[in-house]
């Protein structure tokens, strides 16, 4: 059968010279995945290998099977495949389909790609991280030791301009159109939740029920062809298939699920041509690569499980997300391959416009630890200079490097360690590679393999049924995974029957997947000749605890007390251990599942825990144990106490507090912190102090030639620390004197400059004075009634005339009527308007027609009146101001007691 890709056969062969770089854009269904590898690989047992990299295991296997039939050979001879835990190829194989993960391992084992002549990256638009890295390495290999290597990048929807720039000027871009027919799109958004009986919350209509309604609508139209349904996961697929199989309107239809976990035979049945109408209920594996003949109706849930980093378990996992507009177009296009079709979308047309244009590349949404480890294993140490198509976010790269260092994969210089080399050779993520190696070192390989499989899989317990998780606990095991292992054995005894397992509170599907993952890891261990014994959690409890601590040291928790589930968690977080955990009696534990719950403050729900002992921390991580003799603040007594503390990284393991032997300097710093935070109040730090600091700052800025120190936040911190020095409790501190510290801040000459250039009082005409206010921000000012300003015809200044004062000209009621720095202008014009406005309201005050010819009455004489004979009890602020008055007035007739003036 002729396919659209055949139209560029000659052009493709002409471009495919040794060392070529080809960028091919062709829509799904054009035949690129099946025909391009055959175009570039002549039949026969001689010649280099063509490797085709597919993003999905099912696509790699099914495409290999199809191409083998096209080329007239059995699968595994001329054409083969290699996916995780399954391979079919031989020395005679010329075309080999494989997943990106397998190709990454090939590059690790053979960086020169010996015997490989062509590398084809299929469905590149999915932007898998492993594919991005592999393409960069292949381009670098072309430019160094393999100039003959051919690199072909194929994509259906990717914007190729940026990719062509990345691949370089040698790149040849080709494009072909697909054979498509028009597809009409209908939007079927969710309706409002169904109202149930009074007192019950509204019921959301499940996605499978909405799918069934749309299927019924589609079947009612003529020529609907086969129906392809896109759902995010196997659970939704199973529920949808059950509902459709029991529906009356689908009795004449064949119904097939399609996802990667099915057997190869079941997958082939789903996509095989059929004269009977059928419904295929699929994940996004049918979005690209695979073309199913006869599909004319697509029903799209708009959802997919997309790989992203899961902070709950600290690993990459599949989360349900809304698909991009590009993916939606891909899915809709499946209905128009052989005839006009129709696509039903289970969302609104308006919300479609708000979806992202393309899916974000994996480099921006998954954990980078495995990729960075593999790059280091092949000698790429300068990760910043690596040829990234999209550079990773700095925070993600730093998090990955920190994890690798905690796992002892790299040292403090970011160089690979022996453990790191061994981890890079294992085809599992770094954390689980470290767990398997620790299991080998501790003699618990089987248990480590089981735990690694369990953490990476879905929880086996459903939380429903007649049996509790507690019923599976085994005394002395020290880990919740022992209960999961016994639950797996129960599920096996029940032959993974969904109903029987459900009654026991076990997910049959999760149990079966756990068994498969466990068996694969055991096979990996046997391949390396590791000693494997029967699982015995109680006997190996200490060994398991050591292995778990080695791999999950960043998920350590400590119980606050034996009477509560509240915990401290590494990273400065608070948490709560699951009440059914077998580790609830342990002082410390490792939690492999950590779910953040937001309330008044973020807390962490800790599950799937393993008990550990505190001495193990120093045994395994001696450099992360820190002991200190410091201080702590007792909130209840408002007192600083001595604290001896032992910490693992930022988690306190042990602390002891005492009132004896408190470091006075540290105590002063701690009290000062609380004074600065406003928790404690210094009674003698008053407005006069703030005015003094404002004067100092003003003078330092206006007259820098004096060399006066400025006053900033650090100075305030230092001054308050000096005031606090010697105090251990607030009761000792609250009445502490302030002015002795401030007086020592300046020398005698600097005090003189401060008093002379930034005085506290401003002299006015006729013996009057005005208090100068120094705000923290803005100009210094005086506030004076207009009658007291008579005779002061120009604006007063300070700082040797460099700073005019802002004059608040007040009415008789002391409220400002005008603010100005130009008194001359006020007297020339403003005074008349003020008199006009206010003289009638305040007739008892003087309002002369010509202020310059008016002589006001003399001010009342001032003197200090001592109302208290017990002079030593006068506060420090008053004494300071008294000294200042003696200097300002220079009045020999006034008596200044020597006891006060010092």
């Amino acid at each position: 059968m002729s396919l659209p890709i055949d139209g560029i056969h000659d052009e493709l062969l002409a471009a495919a010279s040794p060392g070529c770089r080809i960028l091919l854009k062709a829509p799904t269904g054009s035949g690129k995945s099946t025909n391009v590898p055959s175009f570039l690989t002549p039949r026969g047992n001689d010649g280099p290998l063509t490797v085709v990299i597919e993003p999905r295991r099912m696509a790699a296997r099914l495409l290999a099977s199809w191409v083998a039939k096209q080329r007239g050979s059995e699968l595994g001879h001329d054409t083969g495949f290699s996916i995780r835990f399954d391979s079919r190829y031989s020395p005679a194989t010329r075309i080999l389909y494989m997943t990106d993960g397998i190709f990454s391992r090939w590059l690790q084992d053979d960086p020169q790609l010996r015997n490989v002549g062509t590398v084809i990256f299929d469905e590149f638009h999915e932007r898998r991280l492993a594919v991005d890295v592999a393409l960069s390495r292949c381009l670098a290999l072309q430019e160094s030791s393999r100039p003959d290597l051919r690199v072909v990048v194929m994509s259906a929807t990717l914007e190729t301009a940026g990719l062509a720039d990345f691949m370089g000027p040698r790149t040849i871009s080709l494009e072909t159109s697909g054979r498509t027919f028009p597809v009409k799109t209908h939007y079927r958004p969710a309706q409002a939740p169904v109202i149930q009986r009074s007192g019950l919350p509204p019921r959301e209509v499940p996605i499978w029920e909405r799918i069934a309604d749309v299927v019924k609508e589609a079947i009612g139209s003529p020529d609907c062809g086969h129906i392809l349904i896109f759902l995010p996961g196997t659970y939704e697929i199973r529920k949808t298939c059950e509902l459709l199989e029991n529906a009356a309107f689908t009795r004449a239809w064949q119904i097939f699920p399609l996802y990667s976990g099915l057997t190869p035979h079941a997958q082939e049945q789903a996509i095989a041509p059929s004269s009977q109408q059928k419904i295929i209920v699929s994940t996004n594996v049918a979005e690209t690569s695979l073309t199913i003949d006869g599909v004319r109706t697509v029903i799209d849930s708009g959802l997919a499980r997309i790989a992203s980093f899961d902070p709950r378990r600290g690993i990459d996992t599949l989360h349900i997300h809304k698909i991009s507009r590009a993916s939606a177009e891909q899915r809709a296009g499946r209905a128009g391959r052989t005839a006009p079709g129709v696509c039903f979308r289970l969302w609104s047309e308006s919300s479609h416009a708000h979806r992202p244009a393309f899916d974000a590349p994996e480099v921006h949404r998954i954990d980078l630890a495995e990729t960075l480890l593999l790059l280091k294993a092949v000698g790429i140490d300068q990760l910043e200079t690596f040829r990234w198509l999209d550079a990773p976010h700095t925070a993600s790269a730093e998090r990955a490097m920190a994890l690798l260092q905690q796992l002892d994969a790299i040292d403090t210089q970011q160089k690979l360690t022996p453990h790191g080399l061994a981890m890079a050779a294992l085809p599992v993520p770094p954390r689980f590679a470290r767990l398997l190696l620790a299991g080998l070192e501790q003699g618990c390989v089987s248990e480590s393999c089981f735990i690694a499989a369990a953490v990476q899989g879905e929880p086996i317990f459903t939380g429903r049924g007649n049996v509790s998780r507690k019923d599976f606990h085994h005394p002395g095991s020290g880990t919740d995974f022992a209960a999961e292992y016994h639950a797996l054995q129960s599920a096996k005894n029940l032959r993974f029957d969904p109903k029987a397992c459900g009654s026991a509170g076990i997910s049959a599907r999760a149990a079966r997947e756990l068994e498969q993952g466990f068996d694969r890891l055991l096979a990996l261990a046997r391949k390396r000749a590791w000693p494997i014994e029967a699982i015995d959690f109680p006997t190996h409890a200490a060994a398991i605890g050591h292995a778990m601590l080695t791999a999950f040291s960043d998920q350590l928790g400590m119980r606050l007390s034996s009477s509560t589930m509240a915990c401290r968690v590494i990273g400065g977080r608070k948490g709560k251990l699951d009440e059914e955990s077998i580790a609830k009696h342990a002082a410390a534990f490792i939690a492999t599942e950590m779910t953040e719950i937001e309330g008044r403050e973020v807390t962490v729900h800790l599950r799937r825990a393993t008990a550990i002992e505190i001495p193990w921390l120093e045994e395994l991580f001696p450099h992360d144990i820190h002991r200190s003799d410091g201080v702590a603040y007792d909130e209840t007594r408002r007192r600083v106490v001595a604290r001896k503390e032992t910490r693992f990284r930022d988690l306190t393991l042990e602390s002891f507090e005492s009132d004896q032997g408190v470091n006075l300097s540290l105590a002063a710093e701690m009290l000062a912190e609380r004074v600065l935070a406003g928790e404690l109040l210094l009674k003698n730090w008053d407005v006069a102090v703030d005015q003094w600091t404002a004067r100092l700052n003003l003078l330092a800025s206006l007259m820098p030639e004096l060399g006066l120190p400025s006053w900033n936040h650090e100075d305030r911190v230092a001054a308050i620390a000096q005031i606090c020095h010697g105090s251990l409790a607030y009761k000792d501190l609250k009445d502490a004197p302030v002015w002795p510290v401030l007086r020592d801040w300046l020398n005698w000459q600097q005090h003189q400059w401060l008093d002379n250039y930034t005085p506290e009082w401003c002299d006015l005409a006729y013996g009057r004075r005005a208090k100068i206010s120094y705000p923290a921000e803005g100009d210094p000012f005086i506030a004076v009634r207009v009658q007291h300003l008579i005779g002061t015809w120009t604006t007063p200044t300070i700082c040797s005339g460099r700073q005019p004062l802002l004059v608040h000209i007040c009415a008789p009621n002391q409220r400002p009527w005008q603010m100005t720095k130009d008194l001359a202008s006020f007297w020339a014009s403003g005074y008349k308007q003020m008199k006009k406005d206010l003289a009638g309201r305040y007739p008892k005050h003087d309002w002369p027609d010509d202020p310059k010819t008016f002589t006001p009455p003399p001010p009342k004489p001032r003197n200090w009146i001592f109302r208290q004979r017990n002079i030593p009890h006068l506060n420090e602020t008053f004494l300071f101001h008294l000294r200042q008055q003696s200097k300002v007035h220079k009045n020999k007739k006034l008596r200044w007691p020597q006891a006060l003036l010092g």
Side-chain angles (χ1 to χ4, degrees):
M1 181 178 64
S2 176
L3 292 171
I5 198 69
D6 297 338
I8 62 168
H9 173 271
D10 295 339
E11 191 177 356
L12 180 62
L13 289 183
S17 58
C20 68
R21 295 178 181 178
I22 299 175
L23 179 55
L24 173 60
K25 182 177 180 180
T28 301
S30 60
K32 65 180 184 302
S33 300
T34 54
N35 286 17
V36 168
S38 289
F39 291 166
L40 301 180
T41 311
R43 290 176 173 84
N45 295 333
D46 297 328
L49 182 67
T50 295
V51 173
V52 187
I53 301 168
E54 294 292 336
R56 295 182 178 85
R57 288 178 292 173
M58 186 172 71
R61 188 181 55 77
L62 293 176
L63 286 170
S65 177
W66 178 259
V67 172
K69 291 178 183 178
Q70 278 187 321
R71 292 169 67 89
S73 69
E74 292 184 10
L75 180 63
H77 290 277
D78 174 77
T79 304
F81 70 88
S82 179
I83 61 178
R84 191 181 183 189
F85 304 119
D86 191 10
S87 295
R88 294 278 297 277
Y89 65 94
S90 67
T93 300
R94 300 272 65 83
I95 299 176
L96 182 59
Y97 287 81
M98 63 174 60
T99 55
D100 45 32
I102 296 296
F103 186 65
S104 296
R105 292 292 165 182
W106 269 46
L107 276 172
Q108 294 300 116
D109 297 338
D110 182 11
Q112 296 300 313
L113 292 179
R114 292 185 294 270
N115 300 324
V116 175
T118 306
V119 180
I120 300 176
F121 295 91
D122 195 16
E123 308 298 352
F124 191 84
H125 59 272
E126 297 199 13
R127 295 303 313 278
R128 305 263 290 205
L129 175 58
V131 174
D132 283 7
V133 172
L135 174 60
S136 294
R137 293 185 61 185
C138 286
L139 296 179
L141 187 59
Q142 264 189 333
E143 295 166 358
S144 57
S145 58
R146 287 293 311 275
D148 61 311
L149 184 67
R150 300 190 296 184
V151 176
V152 180
V153 178
M154 303 194 300
S155 173
T157 62
L158 187 68
E159 292 295 330
T160 56
L163 182 55
D165 293 339
F166 172 76
M167 293 177 65
R170 295 165 44 192
T171 304
I172 299 174
S173 295
L174 302 176
E175 185 170 351
T176 182
S177 59
R179 184 176 58 211
T180 59
F181 293 86
V183 177
K184 188 175 183 180
T185 303
H186 301 286
Y187 291 90
R188 297 291 183 266
Q191 303 299 316
V194 177
I195 304 299
Q196 303 188 92
R197 296 194 309 272
S198 176
L200 295 176
R203 172 181 171 269
E204 295 283 349
V205 179
I207 188 71
W208 45 87
E209 292 185 12
R210 295 175 57 202
I211 291 286
D213 292 339
V214 178
V215 168
K216 186 176 182 180
E217 178 185 353
I219 288 176
S221 62
D223 300 326
C224 69
H226 297 326
I227 298 175
L228 176 60
I229 302 171
F230 286 101
L231 284 167
T234 56
Y235 175 74
E236 294 82 4
I237 289 174
R238 188 175 71 253
K239 297 292 288 187
T240 301
C241 289
E242 290 175 357
L243 187 58
L244 293 178
E245 286 168 352
N246 295 324
F249 56 84
T250 57
R251 286 178 181 172
W253 291 71
Q254 291 180 310
I255 299 170
F256 295 100
L258 182 60
Y259 54 90
S260 60
L262 287 174
T263 63
H265 177 69
Q267 294 172 354
E268 291 170 359
Q269 273 191 315
I271 67 172
S274 173
S275 58
Q276 185 179 354
Q277 287 183 307
K278 63 180 179 179
I279 300 172
I280 304 101
V281 190
S282 174
T283 59
N284 57 359
V285 296
E287 186 177 311
T288 57
S289 299
L290 303 177
T291 298
I292 305 173
D293 289 334
V295 172
R296 296 181 62 182
T297 301
V298 166
I299 302 174
D300 188 1
S301 67
L303 304 172
R305 290 188 182 272
I306 299 175
S308 58
F309 181 70
D310 182 6
R312 181 172 63 98
R313 290 185 286 169
I315 60 174
D316 290 328
T317 189
L318 297 175
H319 293 280
I320 294 179
H321 295 281
K322 294 179 180 178
I323 62 173
S324 64
R325 297 198 302 273
S327 292
E329 293 304 316
Q330 281 282 104
R331 292 181 176 186
R334 313 305 281 173
R337 296 304 174 194
T338 57
V342 61
C343 174
F344 294 90
R345 291 175 175 167
L346 302 191
W347 65 94
S348 68
E349 187 171 5
S350 60
S351 68
H352 179 75
H354 291 89
R355 295 194 174 210
F358 294 94
D359 294 322
E362 272 192 351
V363 70
H364 291 160
R365 51 185 166 86
I366 69 171
D367 183 35
L368 302 176
E370 183 172 12
T371 297
L372 301 188
L373 177 64
L374 294 179
L375 289 177
K376 284 187 172 294
V378 294
I380 302 175
D381 288 326
Q382 300 300 322
L383 301 175
E384 300 81 4
T385 60
F386 182 71
R387 189 176 187 166
W388 298 102
L389 178 53
D390 286 286
H393 296 313
T394 302
S396 299
E398 290 176 350
R399 181 184 67 203
M401 297 301 287
L403 175 61
L404 292 177
Q405 190 168 344
Q406 289 171 1
L407 297 175
D408 191 34
I410 58 175
D411 57 23
T412 55
Q413 304 300 318
Q414 296 191 353
K415 300 296 184 181
L416 213 60
T417 65
H419 275 135
L421 281 171
M423 291 163 60
L426 293 173
V428 292
R431 189 187 295 277
F432 301 104
R434 188 69 184 94
L435 176 60
L436 297 182
L437 291 177
L440 175 64
E441 295 162 357
Q442 298 292 334
C444 55
V445 172
S446 299
E447 291 85 353
S448 296
C449 288
F450 176 80
I451 293 173
V455 175
Q456 294 181 84
E458 295 184 14
I460 192 172
F461 293 111
T462 63
R464 302 183 296 272
N466 303 322
V467 182
S468 169
R469 276 185 294 157
K470 294 180 180 179
D471 298 321
F472 292 97
H473 280 318
H474 195 290
S477 63
T479 179
D480 291 331
F481 290 102
E484 296 193 27
Y485 178 73
H486 293 305
L488 174 61
Q489 301 309 308
S490 297
K492 290 175 67 175
N493 294 335
L494 296 172
R495 300 180 181 275
F496 299 105
D497 178 75
K499 291 184 179 179
C501 290
S503 298
I506 302 171
S507 168
R509 178 177 56 84
R512 186 182 294 275
E513 291 177 356
L514 173 55
E515 183 189 37
Q516 293 172 352
F518 179 38
D519 289 342
R520 289 166 181 168
L521 290 178
L522 284 178
L524 180 68
R526 291 191 184 97
K527 185 178 180 180
R528 284 162 172 74
W530 291 356
I532 298 174
E533 301 178 355
I535 284 185
D536 188 344
F537 280 96
T539 301
H540 298 146
I544 294 167
H546 277 79
M548 291 295 290
L549 181 56
T550 302
F552 293 91
S553 64
D554 57 329
Q555 296 182 203
L556 176 66
M558 293 275 300
R559 292 277 302 282
L560 291 176
S561 70
S562 58
S563 60
T564 176
M565 295 290 106
C567 310
R568 296 189 306 272
V569 186
I570 202 167
R573 295 169 291 178
K574 295 181 179 179
K576 184 178 180 182
L577 181 62
D578 188 71
E579 293 183 356
E580 293 189 352
S581 174
I582 200 171
K584 65 182 179 180
H585 300 299
F589 56 87
I590 292 294
T592 57
E593 192 170 302
M594 307 173 71
T595 306
E596 288 192 350
I597 303 173
E598 293 191 7
R600 292 184 177 179
E601 59 181 10
V602 176
T603 58
V604 184
H605 189 197
L606 310 170
R607 303 184 62 174
R608 305 176 90 175
T610 300
I612 68 162
E613 296 181 13
I614 299 297
W616 299 350
L617 292 168
E618 189 160 11
E619 177 185 341
L620 295 175
F621 303 96
H623 299 297
D624 288 329
I625 299 293
H626 307 283
R627 294 179 174 85
S628 62
D629 290 338
V631 293
Y633 186 71
D634 188 330
E635 299 283 353
T636 304
R637 296 189 295 160
R638 294 202 286 187
R639 178 183 181 87
V640 179
V641 295
R643 169 183 282 180
K644 292 185 177 181
E645 189 174 67
T646 303
R647 300 172 73 87
F648 175 71
R649 297 174 189 161
D650 66 349
L651 181 64
T652 300
L653 303 177
E654 184 181 28
S655 64
F656 173 75
E657 295 181 356
S658 171
D659 289 344
Q660 304 299 319
V662 181
N663 186 307
L664 294 179
S665 297
L666 296 178
E669 292 177 8
M670 185 161 286
L671 289 172
E673 288 176 4
R674 277 155 177 77
V675 171
L676 292 166
E679 298 176 23
L680 303 179
L681 179 65
L682 293 177
K683 293 184 178 180
N684 292 326
W685 193 286
D686 54 14
V687 176
V689 175
D690 293 331
Q691 288 289 288
W692 186 86
T693 59
R695 290 165 58 205
L696 181 58
N697 264 340
L698 180 66
L699 185 57
S701 62
L702 291 180
M703 302 184 71
E705 66 273 12
L706 299 179
L708 282 169
S710 60
W711 183 270
N712 53 33
H713 177 73
E714 288 73 18
D715 297 323
R716 186 167 182 260
V717 171
I720 291 177
Q722 290 185 45
I723 295 167
C724 296
H725 191 76
S727 299
L728 295 178
Y730 179 52
K731 65 179 182 179
D732 307 324
L733 175 65
K734 60 182 178 181
D735 293 317
V738 171
W739 286 107
V741 172
L742 297 183
R743 281 200 302 273
D744 291 340
W745 207 262
L746 304 176
N747 59 36
W748 180 88
Q749 182 61 64
Q750 290 171 332
H751 275 296
Q752 295 302 309
W753 288 335
L754 187 66
D755 293 338
N756 293 335
Y757 293 124
T758 55
E760 295 183 82
W761 295 87
C762 171
D763 291 328
L764 305 176
Y766 301 108
R768 291 188 171 87
R769 296 188 312 153
K771 178 72 173 177
I772 303 176
S773 296
Y774 293 87
E777 296 181 1
D779 295 322
F781 65 90
I782 57 174
V784 189
R785 283 188 300 180
V786 64
Q787 287 80 9
H788 292 173
L789 279 174
I790 294 175
T792 305
W793 312 118
T794 59
T795 305
T797 62
I798 58 174
C799 296
S800 193
R802 300 184 189 183
Q803 176 64 53
L805 295 176
L806 180 64
V807 182
H808 293 195
I809 304 172
C810 299
N813 62 357
Q814 295 293 349
R815 292 182 179 177
W817 185 82
Q818 182 180 337
M819 291 180 284
T820 182
K821 287 186 179 181
D822 188 359
L823 272 181
S825 176
F826 168 76
W827 290 120
S829 58
Y831 172 75
K832 292 180 181 179
Q833 184 63 42
M834 184 177 184
K835 177 181 177 181
K836 180 180 178 180
D837 292 345
L838 300 179
R841 280 192 278 171
Y842 302 100
K844 293 183 179 181
H845 291 263
D846 295 320
W847 298 95
D849 292 331
D850 185 2
K852 293 190 177 181
T853 62
F854 176 75
T855 303
K860 296 179 181 179
R862 291 191 182 92
N863 205 339
W864 289 91
I865 301 175
F866 297 99
R867 302 184 182 277
Q868 184 172 327
R869 297 194 178 195
N870 195 359
I871 291 174
H873 287 180
L874 295 177
N875 67 56
E876 188 70 17
T877 304
F878 174 75
L879 297 181
F880 179 80
H881 284 292
L882 198 58
R883 292 186 181 89
Q884 299 305 311
Q885 295 300 326
S886 70
K887 297 172 184 176
V888 170
H889 286 285
K890 310 284 187 184
N891 195 329
K892 303 299 183 181
K893 295 181 179 180
L894 294 177
R895 287 189 173 183
W896 302 102
Q898 292 301 314
L900 292 180
L901 298 182

